[in-house]
Amino acid sequence: MFLNKFFGTLLNVTQTIPESLTARLLNLIALDVHSNQLKALPNSIGCLSKLKTLNVSGNFLVSLPKSIQHCRSLEELNANFNKLIRLPDSIGYELTNLRKLSVNSNKLISLPISITHLTSLRALDARLNCLMILPDDLENLINLEILNVSQNFQYLTALPSSIGLLMNLIELDVSYNKITVLPESIGCMRRLRKLSVEGNPLVSPPAEVMEQNLQVVREYLTQKINGTAPKSPSKKKSWGFGKLVKYGTFNGGSRSWNREEREGFIMPEYRSIDSLASPRYSGMFSPRRLFSPRSYFSR
């Protein structure tokens, strides 16, 4: 542990990790070099076969070395707040023990197809990127419990049908994208407890369905799968920004939850994020405030 802390401090004065130094740390289990000025990781990082935790967040990385796939013991990879434009195409083929992958606040346009081979993955955080598409074979992520692809804004316009085959998914956040239609397969996600879709111009399901609880949304989508005409529930008053704050979505404070709320809530009203960017609220959308490099793996 002392070595990890000292190593991170040492890198404050450099932009690279020497290849020879990495190759000598063969027994290293955790490597934390977050919040430095790294522009690249050495290829020799693939020699760290015992490495379980790697935190390279808060640097200037444009890519990760292909050799990272040889870190077969890796369980947590945090690469938040970099300048990543891509992940290695083969990253998912060898990292079979990876449980948490966090790449938020980068410039990723897509996720490699090989990511669907990460069968041990439990949490995937790819918010605040430029994702235009998600891989088709998401159902292979059989242990995934948390998926966050929110705030890709105008880039992400649709979700693959396979997203509804993530049978162990508990939390799904697709808020603040350009999605107009939720896949009908989401109706099959019986373990889902939280669905966040606010900030999308949704057309289907319709607003009167989205204003209800998660169970109603699932029933509507299931009826569509079965080809039966869904019954339109009585329309409730739409939720404005004040109610978003009340329900804690935007740091509205802690509160007790009743049974219906614990089952998940959906914010269907579409608003451009610019309309909320008044001096009063603009600080709430600061990535540094919402997503610190350390916060994701502290949960």
Side-chain angles (χ1 to χ4, degrees):
M1 187 59 129
F2 172 77
L3 178 59
N4 290 345
K5 291 182 177 179
F6 177 74
F7 195 52
T9 303
L10 178 66
L11 288 175
N12 282 325
V13 297
T14 185
Q15 296 179 346
T16 59
I17 302 175
E19 294 276 356
S20 58
L21 181 59
T22 308
R24 294 174 185 174
L25 302 173
L26 300 183
N27 292 317
L28 200 63
I29 295 176
L31 177 58
D32 186 345
V33 290
H34 77 276
S35 301
N36 285 282
Q37 300 178 29
L38 293 175
K39 292 186 176 181
L41 296 178
N43 287 322
S44 59
I45 199 169
C47 298
L48 304 180
S49 60
K50 297 181 180 180
L51 192 66
K52 292 186 176 181
T53 303
L54 176 60
N55 187 349
V56 295
S57 60
N59 285 288
F60 301 109
L61 302 175
V62 175
S63 63
L64 300 176
K66 182 179 179 180
S67 61
I68 200 172
Q69 67 181 354
H70 300 307
C71 301
R72 294 184 177 91
S73 298
L74 198 63
E75 296 178 358
E76 299 182 8
L77 173 56
N78 184 344
N80 299 336
F81 293 100
N82 279 284
K83 298 183 178 181
L84 296 175
I85 58 176
R86 66 183 183 278
L87 296 177
D89 289 337
S90 57
I91 192 171
Y93 294 134
E94 302 292 339
L95 300 183
T96 56
N97 292 306
L98 195 65
R99 295 165 60 90
K100 295 181 180 179
L101 175 59
S102 188
V103 289
N104 78 58
S105 306
N106 282 285
K107 299 180 180 180
L108 297 173
I109 296 176
S110 64
L111 298 174
I113 296 175
S114 68
I115 208 170
T116 62
H117 290 260
L118 298 175
T119 54
S120 296
L121 198 65
R122 293 183 179 274
L124 173 57
D125 181 5
R127 57 190 156 173
L128 284 164
N129 277 283
C130 304
L131 294 178
M132 301 178 67
I133 191 172
L134 298 180
D136 284 332
D137 299 327
L138 291 178
E139 69 271 16
N140 295 329
L141 301 177
I142 56 176
N143 288 302
L144 195 66
E145 297 178 348
I146 300 173
L147 175 59
N148 191 333
V149 290
S150 64
Q151 298 178 80
N152 284 280
F153 300 110
Q154 73 270 24
Y155 300 101
L156 189 59
T157 60
L159 299 173
S161 295
S162 59
I163 201 168
L165 300 178
L166 295 172
M167 294 305 178
N168 284 309
L169 203 67
I170 297 174
E171 296 183 16
L172 174 59
D173 191 342
V174 296
S175 56
Y176 293 102
N177 290 303
K178 209 75 171 182
I179 298 168
T180 57
V181 177
L182 290 184
E184 297 171 4
S185 59
I186 289 180
C188 302
M189 303 171 73
R190 297 304 171 188
R191 292 198 64 194
L192 193 66
R193 291 295 176 267
K194 182 178 179 180
L195 174 63
S196 300
V197 297
E198 65 269 22
N200 283 285
L202 280 177
V203 174
S204 178
E208 60 267 23
V209 173
M210 297 303 296
E211 288 174 356
Q212 312 303 310
N213 60 31
L214 179 57
Q215 181 60 30
V216 173
V217 174
R218 275 200 297 245
E219 289 176 357
Y220 174 89
L221 293 172
T222 300
Q223 287 176 332
K224 288 198 70 176
I225 293 175
N226 295 332
T228 59
K231 295 180 180 180
S232 179
S234 58
K235 188 172 182 179
K236 292 185 178 180
K237 184 178 179 181
S238 55
W239 292 13
F241 185 76
K243 200 161 188 178
L244 296 182
V245 174
K246 177 182 176 183
Y247 276 78
T249 309
F250 295 107
N251 300 325
S254 60
R255 64 188 295 276
S256 60
W257 296 82
N258 60 38
R259 180 180 177 183
E260 180 179 279
E261 290 163 353
R262 284 198 302 269
E263 290 182 347
F265 53 86
I266 300 91
M267 310 301 181
E269 185 175 3
Y270 175 66
R271 294 187 179 188
S272 168
I273 196 168
D274 294 333
S275 68
L276 301 178
S278 68
R280 181 179 178 185
Y281 297 120
S282 58
M284 305 173 79
F285 296 97
S286 169
R288 292 289 177 181
R289 177 178 177 181
L290 293 174
F291 317 112
S292 68
R294 298 182 182 181
S295 63
Y296 185 71
F297 292 113
S298 62
R299 53 187 303 165

